[in-house]
Amino acid sequence: MAIARKRQVSLVDTKYYHCISRCVRRAFLCGEDHFTGKSYEHRRGWVKDKLLELATVFCIDICAYAVMSNHTHLVLYVDDKKANRLNDKAIIIRWQKLCKGTVLTQKYIQGEKLSKAELIFFNKTVKEYRERLSSISWFMRLLNENIARRANKEDNCTGRFWEGRFTSQALLDEAALAACMAYVDLNPIRAKMANTPEESDHTSVQVRLICAKEGKQPKQLLRFAGMPRQIMPKGLPFELKSYLELVELTGRCIREDKRGYIESTHLPLLDRVNISPENWLKLTAQFTRVFHGAVGRPSSQASYCENLNRKRRANISNCEKLIA
């Protein structure tokens, strides 16, 4: 039985979530339809552009993404603290970049004075918008609705474009986060859509590599902040160089004709998150097969389930084997 979204997201335990949306049609989300010969490759650009646009409005950062032929992978960071810091005007301006808003919010932005009765309804609306701007459900809803409408218009049809609501996984610790990001970034290589990370179009790793050549990090993605420390800035808790090296080496190791291995020089990132080279390969090759719910060490699972009042800990045996 599907678990309600509110029983999957616990920002007390983690701000990181892996989200997947799958297309329902034979014609695919993008790529080429072998039956008609028509190419839908341009739709990958639709997804990427809308995704990056939403990230500038929502208080949600993109850690990793990959737009595949019939599904999309996202790793998101929910910055609820930022949503709470923004003043009412900033919240309204952000939301009205996406939707019309209400008569009261439009009056407020135009500088018109609101009566006491109007202020009651206005404050309620602002609170609702503030919650939406840090909601994964609203982020994915506006992303998928936009793509579905454009695809339906292009195909001159109606009906479902996506299988259903997106699926999400909580990433409870650094080990789960690193493994999931690498899994997402290496999706095109495993699907034989690309040979190297830099050739993997419509992925976060390609964008990061382009910027890394100039010694920069892309503004549209969550930055790598380096090793965890006492005063930790916002960002991914890894070194960018170590992560990119890890993705490159992992991509070389995943081979169909022989068992993959990581050379004797273990990368610092693997040592720090305490994953063996053999288990790392299994994680990055079969992440969604091995895990079907929240991912993290047993101790992280216990806290997560307690905060969401869930009795059963999903994936516990695999978590013990792979991220112990």
Side-chain angles (χ1 to χ4, degrees):
M1 183 180 291
I3 300 173
R5 196 76 60 203
K6 64 182 179 182
R7 298 197 64 200
Q8 296 180 45
V9 176
S10 173
L11 298 182
V12 174
D13 294 293
T14 182
K15 312 287 188 183
Y16 297 98
Y17 293 85
H18 174 212
C19 301
I20 308 169
S21 296
R22 297 190 182 278
C23 184
V24 77
R25 292 194 192 145
R26 187 203 74 210
F28 307 117
L29 167 63
C30 26
E32 185 175 319
D33 184 344
H34 299 296
F35 290 91
T36 64
K38 186 176 180 179
S39 175
Y40 295 90
E41 188 65 18
H42 59 283
R43 291 180 180 173
R44 299 177 78 190
W46 291 358
V47 178
K48 178 184 174 182
D49 292 345
K50 189 63 180 179
L51 173 65
L52 298 179
E53 177 194 333
L54 290 175
T56 65
V57 178
F58 276 79
C59 298
I60 293 177
D61 294 284
I62 303 165
C63 306
Y65 69 85
V67 185
M68 305 300 289
S69 62
N70 64 350
H71 65 285
T72 61
H73 284 279
L74 307 176
V75 178
L76 304 176
Y77 172 84
V78 182
D79 193 353
D80 56 326
K81 290 183 179 179
K82 180 179 179 179
N84 291 328
R85 283 198 309 268
L86 294 174
N87 60 36
D88 291 353
K89 186 174 183 179
I91 291 291
I92 296 296
I93 289 173
R94 281 175 176 255
W95 187 254
Q96 290 190 171
K97 288 180 179 179
L98 304 171
C99 304
K100 286 178 62 176
T102 66
V103 173
L104 295 180
T105 60
Q106 290 170 7
K107 283 179 65 176
Y108 176 83
I109 292 299
Q110 291 167 5
E112 296 182 32
K113 190 173 182 179
L114 302 180
S115 67
K116 289 183 178 180
E118 287 176 327
L119 276 172
I120 294 173
F121 290 101
F122 172 79
N123 290 332
K124 185 178 178 181
T125 300
V126 171
K127 181 182 178 183
E128 189 176 280
Y129 289 173
R130 193 182 300 276
E131 291 172 354
R132 289 180 182 181
L133 287 174
S134 60
S135 166
I136 291 176
S137 290
W138 272 95
F139 185 96
M140 295 300 295
R141 173 180 176 175
L142 293 179
L143 172 64
N144 288 346
E145 275 189 2
N146 177 267
I147 303 306
R149 289 180 190 279
R150 293 181 69 178
N152 279 347
K153 184 176 181 180
E154 184 179 63
D155 295 340
N156 193 27
C157 67
T158 58
R160 283 184 176 273
F161 183 78
W162 303 99
E163 270 187 354
R165 291 195 70 194
F166 68 97
T167 59
S168 66
Q169 291 178 297
L171 305 173
L172 301 176
D173 49 41
E174 291 177 18
L177 175 61
C180 188
M181 286 182 60
Y183 166 78
V184 170
D185 279 330
L186 287 169
N187 247 257
I189 293 175
R190 285 195 305 278
K192 298 182 179 178
M193 295 171 66
N195 295 317
T196 63
E198 59 268 28
E199 294 175 6
S200 300
D201 294 335
H202 305 291
T203 63
S204 51
V205 71
Q206 184 186 57
V207 175
R208 291 191 189 279
L209 284 166
I210 291 170
C211 291
K213 289 179 181 178
E214 301 176 1
K216 301 177 181 178
Q217 293 201 51
K219 293 181 180 179
Q220 62 265 48
L221 301 176
L222 185 62
R223 295 174 57 84
F224 282 81
M227 296 282 286
R229 45 201 183 274
Q230 190 170 8
I231 302 177
M232 183 71 177
K234 176 183 171 182
L236 293 161
F238 314 121
E239 294 287 348
L240 172 62
K241 183 174 182 289
S242 294
Y243 176 76
L244 293 178
E245 287 176 348
L246 189 62
V247 169
E248 168 69 15
L249 187 53
T250 305
R252 290 177 182 273
C253 292
I254 297 175
R255 295 269 303 273
E256 288 184 352
D257 58 339
K258 64 184 290 187
R259 185 172 180 269
Y261 65 92
I262 289 182
E263 296 167 2
S264 57
T265 52
H266 294 178
L267 290 169
L269 182 56
L270 278 191
D271 292 336
R272 211 185 89 221
V273 298
N274 195 28
I275 304 179
S276 71
E278 295 79 14
N279 287 341
W280 172 258
L281 289 177
K282 188 173 181 180
L283 276 172
T284 51
Q286 304 175 28
F287 195 90
T288 53
R289 294 183 190 176
V290 174
F291 300 112
H292 299 285
V295 187
R297 293 185 174 88
S299 56
S300 302
Q301 286 265 8
S303 173
Y304 172 78
C305 291
E306 183 179 344
N307 286 323
L308 290 178
N309 196 26
R310 291 169 59 176
K311 295 180 181 179
R312 185 174 178 274
R313 288 186 291 172
N315 306 309
I316 194 65
S317 60
N318 285 326
C319 286
E320 287 173 344
K321 293 175 186 175
L322 298 174
I323 320 181

